[in-house]
Amino acid sequence: MSHDFFMGKVFFMLYGKTISACLHGVEGRLIEVEVDLSNGLPQVNIVGLPDNAVKESIERVRAAIKNCGFSFPLQRITINMAPADIRKEGSAFDLAIALGILATSGQLPPGTLDDTLVIGELSLDGSIRPVPGVLSMMEAAVKGGLSRVIVPAGNAEEAGWISGCTVQAVSHLAEWSRTPPDSPALAVTGTLVPQASASMPAQAAYTDDYADVRGQSHVKRALMISAAGMHNLMLIGPPGTGKTMLAKRLPSILPSMDERESLEVTKIYSVSGKFADRSRLVRERPFRMPHHTISAAGLVGGGGVPKPGEISLAHRGVLFLDELPEFSRAALEVLRQPMEDRFVTIGRAKAVYQFPAHFLLVASMNPCPCGSGHWGIEADGGDISCVCSPLKVMQYRSRISGPLLDRMDLHVEVPRVPYSQLACQEPPLSSLTMRETVERTHQLQLERYRQSGLMFNSELNGRLLREHCQLDAAASSLLEKSFQALGMSVRSHDRILKIARTIADMEGMRDIAGHHVAEALQYRCLDKRQTLRSLPPA
Ligand SMILES: Nc1ncnc2c1ncn2[C@@H]1O[C@H](COP(=O)(O)OP(=O)(O)O)[C@@H](O)[C@H]1O
Ligand SMILES: [Mg+2]
């Protein structure tokens, strides 16, 4: 007897394992939480690249275990989080650590945690708080072949959007019964979460409608082209002509999102903890309008363990930069790479993170610093005096770098509305009518690009661009002439082709005709020579 006791004292050693998950960018990664109890001075060590929030976790776990009537083992506890090369941050491991300790110390029935992903933050009294990024973690669980996921009740709806494993929602550590080791395996009385329905809801109602905007029909046309083919758009005009008003109404005409896009966007919002409504997938394309004081990190994402920035929050939707020249040069420069790659890469000492950033950039600017408009574009031929010297105008415009301008597909002038149009009785073009054209054009592109995996004309490049942009004779001769006359770059040339493709699609035409190219050319007023021409004589 005394011998047994002696053996127990010296060699008593227990080991257990639970599975939890953390975020890497917007993706979830499964993490093994190993718990070892051995005799020695009571102390807890967490190893495996945990950050401070994870180290603090043990204090929450200790209090929660005690306050729910379990006992916290007075032993030497080692917690290892594997794989060790992933930086663990946040408080989503609390529950996995607590259950790991309870199971290993024999306070839960054996097998309770087999094949189960456990996520949740604990408060001191044992209640379980929701955590960000559950959607991505669920995906990782399904990919990893796990059969069950335990999530905080506050994340239950979100977890129901992913099919492939049983989801159990829990709200308190006390829901685990303190049963003797030989009782049935289901130790927790959480609620089973039903699979959420995947059906698309009806189009949301928008309070801001293009019917509010009088005149500016050519701008509305350009906005339709932009939305239909996801072409970047620049609005240029004097203050008060409705640039902000026009851009803000874009969400009312954007093409619908499919299930895959919807899930991508929802994941980003889940990871950033920026859900407007947790009860459903994000179904509308995002519209982000950051203030011009935003930093470069705010735009592309940042932080010790980076979080998505505005460009990723605008993924599959619109990033609107109102008054573009007011943004800091540094902020604008960081946009260049993601605009080409459609994702952003953020490097940190221990890891490289990638966030999706496939967005439509819409920007607005005044033609000159005083804003009165030296653009030669007064619709009614009016002459408005400007106090800016040509040099000042040049300096103002050079705040936006050439490479960024080069990435704007459509440049559209927004002139003052003549009184006759303001007073006109005819109802202005409404969002509903515009959206019908956009949606039709969107479907046509989906059909055409089914094989190649693209969605929008703006994504065409290289071989696919030549293949899908067949010009008729008139169109190709017009494009050739303008290429020479305007001294176009190859990039500008390709952009014109893509825009012409979208315009032809809006008419349902297979080949691009002369008038499609002609219209596309009109949307390039900032191209070098034209800009110089429209400057006033010094
Ligand atoms: N074309 C228009 N039709 C109706 N209202 C307009 C129009 N243009 C401007 N407005 C009115 O003027 C206000 C200012 O427009 P805004 O979009 O802020 O101009 P900008 O951004 O070009 O300076 C709008 O809120 C709107 O009430
Ligand atoms: Mg404005």
Side-chain angles (χ1 to χ4, degrees), residues 243-244 322-323 364:
K243 299 184 295 297
T244 307
D322 204 4
E323 308 289 348
S364 81

Side-chain angles (χ1 to χ4, degrees), residues 293-442:
T293 52
I294 191 169
S295 66
L299 265 184
V300 294
V305 175
K307 286 272 172 281
E310 285 294 329
I311 62 170
S312 296
L313 293 171
H315 181 61
R316 299 279 172 199
V318 178
L319 179 70
F320 175 41
L321 302 182
D322 204 4
E323 308 289 348
L324 190 68
E326 304 299 326
F327 284 74
S328 80
R329 183 120 197 172
L332 295 182
E333 286 307 295
V334 293
L335 287 178
R336 279 162 57 178
Q337 176 264 334
M339 281 176 74
E340 290 298 298
D341 300 342
R342 308 195 194 280
F343 60 80
V344 57
T345 310
I346 302 174
R348 288 289 179 268
K350 294 238 168 53
V352 173
Y353 299 82
Q354 267 188 3
F355 294 103
H358 187 172
F359 57 91
L360 165 63
L361 178 64
V362 177
S364 81
M365 67 183 279
N366 293 328
C368 66
C370 84
S372 65
H374 248 322
W375 209 256
I377 49 167
E378 292 314 315
D380 47 5
D383 179 26
I384 283 152
S385 56
C386 170
V387 294
C388 308
S389 69
L391 182 67
K392 265 185 125 177
V393 176
M394 286 286 224
Q395 280 170 344
Y396 176 74
R397 285 182 205 161
S398 69
R399 280 198 226 165
I400 307 158
S401 72
L404 185 66
L405 265 190
D406 222 21
R407 285 169 174 78
M408 304 304 291
D409 304 298
L410 303 148
H411 315 151
V412 184
E413 295 157 356
V414 186
R416 289 192 177 81
V417 186
Y419 186 76
S420 58
Q421 282 182 22
L422 264 189
C424 178
Q425 288 303 314
E426 220 176 285
L429 196 58
S430 75
S431 294
L432 186 66
T433 322
M434 293 167 74
R435 188 166 64 234
E436 275 164 11
T437 309
V438 169
E439 193 56 42
R440 190 164 21 84
T441 315
H442 175 51

